[in-house]
Amino acid sequence: MSEEIITHSSLVGKLLVRPKVEIPAYTDKADNYIKDRKKIANGLSRSRAAAYRSVMIKRGFYKISDRAVLVRNSLRRATPRPIMLAIAFIACVFAAAKEFAGARYRWMSRHLGALRYAISRRIVNYCAPRAAGMLFLAVSVFAVVSSSIVGVGLQVYIDGKPVGFVSKRSDFIEVVERVEDKVSEILGYPYSLNADVSYNIEMFNRKEILDLETAERMLFSGISEIEQAYVVTVDGEVIGAHRDKEAIDTILNGFLQSEMKAASEGETITNVEFVRDVDVKLQYTNSANVKTLSEISQALSSNVRDEELYTIQAGDTFEAIARNHGLSTQALIDLNPGVDPDNIKEGQVITVKEEIPLLSVRTTKTMVTEEEIPYETEYVDDKTLFVGVQKTKVKGQNGKKLVTTEVVSVDGEVESSVVLKEEVIEEPVNEVIRVGTKKRAPTGTFIVPYNGTISSRFGWRIFKGKYDYHTGIDFAGPKGSIVVASDGGTVTKAGWYGAYGYCVIINHGNGVETLYGHNSKLLVKVGDKVAQGEAIARVGSTGRSTGPHVHFEIRINGKAVNPAKYLWK
C-alpha cells in the first residue's frame, strides 16, 4: 500500500510531489508493527511542521518586499528629480565600481591560481628527484646517530661489580699493568693487583664508555698501600705527605717569614728562597709517607749535618787541627771567628764542622750604611830628620759616604756582597808625614826593643817542666806591638829562623849583633840600614813560643851574652 504527500512551496511556485512511502506489512508481531506506524506518523508530522514554518517565513519576506516597493515608489514621487538623478548616478558609480572590482578579483584569482599551480609544479619537479637522496640521507644520519649512542662492547667487572665498557680487552689490561708498575715504583717492591677482573659482551650506551685515565684512578683508589696526597720533597727526597696543601704551604712560608723578620734597621729584604729544591705536588705515595703536620714540620726543621766540636789537646796547632779534619787553615779560622789561631789553649773547644740545616734559606737584602772614607797617608822624605823619626805635617781626616750594598746570605752567613751605589758626603783629608832620611851610625849603646813585661830572663830556667838555657830576655806584650832596633846597623836576617819564628838580626859592626825573635810581622828586609829606635817588626808568638812576646839577644862574636848588662848599665 502507498500514498502521496503533497506540500505547498511559494518559492518555486509549484507543487512538489514526494515519492510514495512504502509501509511494510508485519504479520508476525503486532507490537513492532504499531511501533513502526508511530515512527512513520511522527516523521510525517515533523515534515509538515517544517514545511509550514518555511512557507510562513517566505510569506513574511514577501510582505516586507512589497512594503519596501511601496516606500520606494513613495520616496521616488516625493524626491525632486535632481536629487534622484544624483542618487541614480551614485548608484551607477557604485555598481560600476563593484563590477570593476569583481572583474579585477576574478582576473587576479585566475592569475594567482595559475601562479600557485606553476610554483607547485616547480616544487614537485625540484623535490621529486631529490626525495630518494633525502630519504637516504635521513636514514644514514639516523644510523650514524644510533651507532654513536648505542653499541656493543666489553663490560669490565672487578670483583663481580661492573665498572664500565671498553672497546678492547687489551686496553684495560694495559691500564692494569701501568697501575701495577707505578705502584711498584712507589712502594719499592713488585706489586700485583689483587682483584678478580672479568669481561662480558653487552649492549651499552656510548656515554658509558670507560675513560682509561678514569679507570687508572679507580684502580689506584682501591689500593690500600698507597694514598693520594700532597708530597713534600727536598732535592727529590720525600720528607712527608699530607692532604692539606694550604697547611703545608703555611709551614714552608714560616721558614721564609722568620728570615724576613730578622731584617735589621736600614735593611730591605728583596728576596727570600730555599737553597734546595723544595716541591709540593699532588700524587700517589706510600701510605707510610702520610704524616701529621707536626711531624712534617719537625722533619723540615732537622739538619743534614749537625755541628761537630773538637777539644784542643796538648801540642795541637790550628794548622794540624785543620789538616786532620780535611779543612784549610783559613776555613777553620772562618768557622771560629772568635778564636785566635796563634793563641789556642788545651781544653779549648772549637768548631770543626758547621751545622747544615735541611732547609737552608738564601736571603737577598739591600743595606744603606754610612761609612768612613779612610784618608791616605803621604810620606815625605825629610833630610833634616834622622832615620826612624817621623813628624806629622798635615793631620789626616776620614771622609764620609753612603753605601748601598746588596748582600746575599745563607742562614745568616754572607755568601756575596756587591756595592750598588756610593754617595760621598764628605771628602777625606790626606795625612802628610815627614820621614827622616838622615842615617844615624851605631852608638855603641843599646835600648830596650819593646817596653813590655819581662817574662823570662837570661840563663837557666824551667821551661815546660825541663831545665832550659835561655839565651836572651823575653819582653811580653800585646800581639802587633812595635819592636824597634836596639841600636843602629844593617839587617842581615829577616825571615823565618827555626824555633825563633819570624826573626830579625842586625849587625852593629865590630862583631856585635842583636836578635829579635817570635815576631808576628817583619817591617824590614835584608840589607836595610836601620837606626836606633827604628821600627823593625811587630810582637808575635811564632816559632817555639808560649805567648806573644819578643825574644831579644845580644851576640858578641857569635856568642850570646846577658842583654841586661848592656841595657841597664
Side-chain angles (χ1 to χ4, degrees):
M1 181 180 179
S2 63
E3 64 177 351
E4 291 183 356
I5 299 173
I6 300 173
T7 62
H8 178 269
S9 177
S10 59
L11 294 176
V12 296
K14 63 179 180 178
L15 294 176
L16 296 178
V17 180
R18 292 191 175 182
K20 296 178 180 180
V21 179
E22 295 290 341
I23 300 176
Y26 290 92
T27 56
D28 298 334
K29 295 181 180 180
D31 293 337
N32 291 338
Y33 173 74
I34 294 171
K35 291 179 181 179
D36 291 338
R37 291 285 296 179
K38 288 181 178 180
K39 289 180 181 180
I40 293 171
N42 292 334
L44 292 174
S45 298
R46 285 193 295 272
S47 297
R48 291 191 186 98
Y52 178 74
R53 284 193 298 273
S54 178
V55 169
M56 294 303 293
I57 290 171
K58 289 177 180 179
R59 283 181 180 177
F61 277 120
Y62 282 138
K63 288 180 180 181
I64 292 171
S65 177
D66 292 341
R67 295 293 177 87
V69 170
L70 293 175
V71 172
R72 184 191 62 187
N73 293 335
S74 299
L75 290 174
R76 185 180 296 173
R77 285 192 295 272
T79 303
R81 190 171 183 82
I83 294 176
M84 291 298 298
L85 290 175
I87 293 173
F89 176 75
I90 293 172
C92 290
V93 171
F94 274 107
K98 181 179 179 182
E99 182 65 22
F100 177 77
R104 295 300 297 175
Y105 175 76
R106 288 190 297 274
W107 182 84
M108 290 178 64
S109 297
R110 185 168 60 254
H111 284 77
L112 287 175
L115 181 62
R116 286 197 299 269
Y117 177 75
I119 291 173
S120 62
R121 293 301 302 171
R122 286 289 185 90
I123 293 173
V124 170
N125 293 336
Y126 180 82
C127 294
R130 294 165 176 79
M134 295 296 289
L135 179 61
F136 176 75
L137 179 61
V139 173
S140 301
V141 170
F142 177 76
V144 170
V145 173
S146 300
S147 63
S148 64
I149 297 176
V150 180
V152 177
L154 285 175
Q155 172 71 276
V156 181
Y157 290 88
I158 297 179
D159 293 332
K161 297 180 180 180
V163 296
F165 288 86
V166 295
S167 56
K168 294 184 296 183
R169 179 181 299 183
S170 59
D171 291 343
F172 194 77
I173 293 175
E174 182 180 348
V175 171
V176 173
E177 292 176 350
R178 188 162 60 245
V179 169
E180 290 178 342
D181 292 341
K182 288 184 179 180
V183 175
S184 299
E185 181 180 354
I186 293 172
L187 298 179
Y189 57 84
Y191 178 83
S192 180
L193 191 65
N194 186 20
D196 181 19
V197 181
S198 60
Y199 309 86
N200 190 28
I201 299 176
E202 299 177 7
M203 292 290 292
F204 73 100
N205 189 326
R206 294 288 180 182
K207 296 180 180 180
E208 298 177 358
I209 194 72
L210 183 62
D211 181 57
L212 297 183
E213 292 184 0
T214 303
E216 187 173 327
R217 289 195 297 269
M218 180 187 60
L219 292 176
F220 271 120
S221 63
I223 301 174
S224 59
E225 290 86 348
I226 63 173
E227 290 188 35
Q228 189 178 37
Y230 290 95
V231 180
V232 183
T233 59
V234 177
D235 282 347
E237 180 182 354
V238 176
I239 304 300
H242 197 270
R243 297 178 185 85
D244 190 349
K245 185 177 184 298
E246 291 185 0
I248 295 175
D249 291 339
T250 301
I251 293 174
L252 294 175
N253 290 333
F255 288 92
L256 302 178
Q257 290 295 330
S258 62
E259 291 294 327
M260 296 188 70
K261 292 178 181 178
S264 304
E265 185 178 356
E267 297 179 348
T268 302
I269 305 294
T270 58
N271 185 46
V272 179
E273 62 183 0
F274 293 115
V275 175
R276 298 172 181 269
D277 183 17
V278 180
D279 188 27
V280 180
K281 187 183 296 182
L282 180 64
Q283 61 187 38
Y284 287 100
T285 184
N286 194 325
S287 298
N289 292 332
V290 179
K291 301 179 180 178
T292 63
L293 293 174
S294 60
E295 291 174 335
I296 294 177
S297 177
Q298 184 177 0
L300 293 173
S301 302
S302 62
N303 295 327
V304 176
R305 186 182 69 191
D306 293 328
E307 183 181 37
E308 184 177 338
L309 303 177
Y310 175 76
T311 303
I312 296 176
Q313 307 295 322
D316 279 341
T317 62
F318 231 60
E319 293 80 2
I321 296 172
R323 184 172 56 254
N324 293 337
H325 289 86
L327 299 172
S328 65
T329 304
Q330 186 60 46
L332 187 59
I333 293 174
D334 293 340
L335 286 175
N336 301 272
V339 177
D340 183 0
D342 295 329
N343 189 22
I344 56 176
K345 299 178 181 179
E346 183 178 354
Q348 188 176 359
V349 178
I350 61 173
T351 301
V352 293
K353 285 185 179 179
E354 64 179 337
E355 174 187 284
I356 301 178
L358 177 63
L359 288 186
S360 293
V361 179
R362 178 180 287 111
T363 305
T364 304
K365 57 186 176 183
T366 57
M367 304 170 55
V368 180
T369 56
E370 182 179 302
E371 298 181 4
E372 288 188 342
I373 304 175
Y375 63 83
E376 294 181 357
T377 303
E378 299 177 7
Y379 294 93
V380 179
D381 292 340
D382 192 332
K383 295 181 180 180
T384 64
L385 299 177
F386 287 105
V387 172
V389 178
Q390 297 181 351
K391 289 187 178 181
T392 303
K393 183 178 181 180
V394 179
K395 185 173 179 59
Q397 184 176 353
N398 291 332
K400 294 180 180 180
K401 62 181 177 180
L402 288 178
V403 181
T404 302
T405 310
E406 183 182 71
V407 179
V408 179
S409 59
V410 176
D411 297 332
E413 298 293 330
V414 176
E415 188 176 56
S416 65
S417 178
V418 179
V419 176
L420 302 179
K421 184 175 67 173
E422 290 186 352
E423 182 181 353
V424 177
I425 301 174
E426 184 180 342
E427 293 287 351
V429 177
N430 291 339
E431 186 170 87
V432 180
I433 297 178
R434 297 187 309 163
V435 179
T437 58
K438 185 178 180 180
K439 296 293 183 180
R440 183 182 291 172
T443 63
T445 61
F446 298 92
I447 63 174
V448 174
Y450 170 66
N451 192 19
T453 303
I454 298 177
S455 59
S456 182
R457 295 184 180 274
F458 181 85
W460 288 98
R461 63 175 180 174
I462 296 176
F463 181 76
K464 292 186 177 181
K466 297 180 181 179
Y467 282 100
D468 178 66
Y469 188 78
H470 194 223
T471 57
I473 297 176
D474 292 343
F475 297 92
K479 179 183 176 182
S481 301
I482 294 293
V483 178
V484 301
S486 183
D487 194 10
T490 303
V491 178
T492 58
K493 177 72 177 180
W496 190 267
Y497 193 29
Y500 291 103
Y502 288 110
C503 176
V504 174
I505 298 177
I506 300 174
N507 186 351
H508 305 284
N510 300 321
V512 179
E513 291 179 325
T514 53
L515 181 146
Y516 314 81
H518 307 301
N519 302 293
S520 62
K521 186 177 182 180
L522 303 181
L523 304 179
V524 293
K525 61 183 181 297
V526 175
D528 285 350
K529 301 291 184 180
V530 296
Q532 187 182 57
E534 185 177 351
I536 59 173
R538 292 185 180 275
V539 174
S541 184
T542 57
R544 194 181 71 162
S545 172
T546 58
H549 70 283
V550 59
H551 173 80
F552 178 66
E553 292 184 11
I554 297 178
R555 295 178 179 181
I556 299 176
N557 296 324
K559 182 180 179 181
V561 296
N562 188 353
K565 296 179 180 181
Y566 299 89
L567 293 175
W568 301 292
K569 63 180 181 178

